[in-house]
Amino acid sequence: MSRKLVRPREGRMLAGVCAGLARRFNTSAFMIRLLFLLSLLLPGTQVIVYLVLWVLMPNEDRAATRY
């Protein structure tokens, strides 16, 4: 798990947060998206966490030029 947490250019559906998490934890983006959708059935702050990750996770292009 040495990959940085970034939003990739390929494979994103909305903002790339789920695709970035899937890449970071070496799992499928479909599984992360499914878990997120199922978590929406439970009370909580899932949407706020998604929005915060959207803001905090850099794009893959920006992260590559920064490091």
Side-chain angles (χ1 to χ4, degrees):
M1 288 192 313
S2 64
R3 292 184 176 193
K4 303 269 186 217
L5 188 57
V6 295
R7 293 183 293 125
R9 279 274 156 216
E10 302 92 30
R12 50 168 54 175
M13 291 192 81
L14 183 63
V17 173
C18 290
L21 289 171
R23 240 189 223 181
R24 171 68 171 91
F25 295 110
N26 199 21
T27 186
S28 71
F30 174 77
M31 186 60 68
I32 299 293
R33 290 179 186 125
L34 181 65
L35 288 173
F36 176 72
L37 289 175
L38 289 175
S39 74
L40 291 176
L41 299 173
L42 301 171
T45 59
Q46 298 87 332
V47 175
I48 294 172
V49 170
Y50 187 90
L51 293 174
V52 167
L53 285 174
W54 188 353
V55 170
L56 293 179
M57 286 173 64
N59 278 330
E60 191 173 41
D61 299 338
R62 287 186 186 170
T65 60
R66 200 178 302 167
Y67 298 109

